[in-house]
Coordinates of all heavy atoms in Angstrom, one line a residue:
D77 N 22.3 14.5 -30.6 CA 22.7 14.3 -29.2 C 21.4 13.8 -28.5 O 20.4 14.4 -28.4 CB 23.1 15.6 -28.5 CG 23.6 15.5 -27.1 OD1 22.8 14.8 -26.3 OD2 24.6 16.0 -26.7
P78 N 21.4 12.5 -27.9 CA 20.2 12.0 -27.3 C 19.7 12.7 -26.1 O 18.6 12.6 -25.7 CB 20.6 10.5 -27.0 CG 22.1 10.5 -26.9 CD 22.6 11.6 -27.9
A79 N 20.6 13.5 -25.4 CA 20.2 14.2 -24.2 C 19.5 15.5 -24.6 O 18.5 15.9 -24.1 CB 21.4 14.4 -23.3
S80 N 20.2 16.3 -25.5 CA 19.7 17.6 -25.8 C 18.9 17.7 -27.0 O 18.1 18.6 -27.3 CB 20.9 18.6 -25.9 OG 21.7 18.3 -27.1
G81 N 19.0 16.7 -27.9 CA 18.3 16.7 -29.2 C 19.0 17.5 -30.2 O 18.5 17.7 -31.4
Q82 N 20.2 18.1 -29.9 CA 20.9 18.9 -30.8 C 21.4 18.1 -32.0 O 22.0 17.0 -31.9 CB 22.1 19.6 -30.1 CG 22.9 20.6 -31.1 CD 24.0 21.3 -30.3 OE1 24.1 21.1 -29.1 NE2 24.8 22.1 -31.0
L83 N 21.3 18.7 -33.2 CA 21.7 18.0 -34.4 C 23.2 18.0 -34.5 O 23.9 19.0 -34.3 CB 21.1 18.6 -35.7 CG 21.4 18.0 -37.0 CD1 20.7 16.6 -37.1 CD2 21.0 18.9 -38.2
I84 N 23.8 16.8 -34.8 CA 25.2 16.6 -34.9 C 25.6 16.6 -36.4 O 26.6 17.3 -36.8 CB 25.7 15.3 -34.2 CG1 25.5 15.4 -32.7 CG2 27.2 15.1 -34.5 CD1 25.7 14.1 -32.0
A85 N 24.9 15.9 -37.2 CA 25.1 15.8 -38.6 C 23.9 15.2 -39.3 O 23.1 14.5 -38.7 CB 26.4 14.9 -38.9
A86 N 23.8 15.4 -40.6 CA 22.7 14.9 -41.4 C 23.1 14.6 -42.8 O 24.2 15.2 -43.3 CB 21.5 15.8 -41.4
S87 N 22.4 13.8 -43.5 CA 22.7 13.5 -44.9 C 22.4 14.8 -45.8 O 21.3 15.3 -45.8 CB 21.9 12.3 -45.4 OG 20.5 12.5 -45.1
D88 N 23.4 15.1 -46.6 CA 23.3 16.2 -47.5 C 24.4 16.1 -48.5 O 25.1 15.1 -48.6 CB 23.3 17.6 -46.8 CG 24.6 17.8 -46.0 OD1 25.6 17.1 -46.2 OD2 24.6 18.7 -45.1
T89 N 24.7 17.2 -49.3 CA 25.7 17.1 -50.4 C 27.1 17.1 -49.9 O 28.0 17.0 -50.6 CB 25.5 18.2 -51.4 OG1 25.5 19.5 -50.7 CG2 24.1 18.1 -52.1
S90 N 27.3 17.3 -48.5 CA 28.6 17.2 -48.0 C 29.2 15.8 -47.9 O 30.4 15.6 -47.8 CB 28.7 17.9 -46.6 OG 27.9 17.2 -45.7
W91 N 28.3 14.8 -48.0 CA 28.7 13.4 -48.0 C 29.4 13.1 -49.3 O 29.0 13.7 -50.4 CB 27.5 12.5 -47.8 CG 26.9 12.5 -46.5 CD1 26.4 13.6 -45.8 CD2 26.7 11.4 -45.6 NE1 25.9 13.2 -44.6 CE2 26.0 11.8 -44.5 CE3 26.9 10.0 -45.8 CZ2 25.7 11.0 -43.4 CZ3 26.6 9.2 -44.7 CH2 25.9 9.6 -43.6
R92 N 30.4 12.3 -49.3 CA 31.1 11.8 -50.5 C 30.6 10.3 -50.8 O 30.7 9.5 -49.8 CB 32.6 11.8 -50.4 CG 33.2 13.2 -50.1 CD 33.5 13.9 -51.4 NE 34.2 15.1 -51.1 CZ 34.8 15.9 -52.1 NH1 34.7 15.5 -53.4 NH2 35.4 17.0 -51.8
C93 N 30.2 10.0 -52.0 CA 29.7 8.7 -52.3 C 30.2 8.2 -53.6 O 30.2 8.9 -54.6 CB 28.1 8.7 -52.4 SG 27.3 9.1 -50.8
L94 N 30.7 7.0 -53.5 CA 31.3 6.3 -54.7 C 30.4 5.1 -55.1 O 30.0 4.3 -54.3 CB 32.7 5.8 -54.4 CG 33.4 5.1 -55.5 CD1 33.9 6.0 -56.6 CD2 34.6 4.3 -54.9
T95 N 30.0 5.1 -56.4 CA 29.2 4.0 -56.9 C 30.2 2.8 -57.2 O 31.1 2.9 -58.0 CB 28.5 4.4 -58.3 OG1 27.7 5.5 -58.0 CG2 27.7 3.3 -58.8
V96 N 29.8 1.6 -56.6 CA 30.7 0.4 -56.9 C 29.9 -0.7 -57.6 O 30.4 -1.7 -57.9 CB 31.2 -0.1 -55.6 CG1 32.3 0.9 -55.0 CG2 30.2 -0.4 -54.5
H97 N 28.6 -0.5 -57.8 CA 27.8 -1.3 -58.7 C 26.9 -0.5 -59.5 O 26.1 0.2 -59.0 CB 27.1 -2.4 -58.0 CG 26.5 -3.5 -58.9 ND1 25.4 -3.2 -59.7 CD2 26.9 -4.7 -59.2 CE1 25.1 -4.3 -60.4 NE2 26.0 -5.2 -60.1
E98 N 27.1 -0.6 -60.9 CA 26.2 0.2 -61.8 C 25.7 -0.8 -62.8 O 26.4 -1.5 -63.5 CB 27.0 1.3 -62.5 CG 26.2 2.2 -63.4 CD 27.1 3.2 -64.1 OE1 28.3 3.3 -63.8 OE2 26.5 4.0 -64.9
A99 N 24.4 -0.8 -63.0 CA 23.7 -1.7 -64.0 C 22.2 -1.3 -64.1 O 21.6 -0.8 -63.1 CB 23.8 -3.1 -63.5
P100 N 21.7 -1.4 -65.3 CA 22.4 -1.8 -66.5 C 23.1 -0.6 -67.1 O 22.7 0.5 -66.9 CB 21.3 -2.3 -67.4 CG 20.1 -1.5 -67.0 CD 20.2 -1.3 -65.5

C-alpha cells in the first residue's frame, strides 16, 4: 500500500508457475 506501506503480497511458494520454454 503506497500510503501505509503495508504489505499486500510478495513472491513466495504460493505463486503458480508454468515453464513454457525449457532448453537444453
Side-chain angles (χ1 to χ4, degrees):
D77 182 315
S80 67
Q82 182 177 355
L83 184 68
I84 295 171
S87 52
D88 58 19
T89 57
S90 66
W91 290 55
R92 299 269 189 172
C93 293
L94 180 71
T95 302
V96 293
H97 190 283
E98 181 179 2

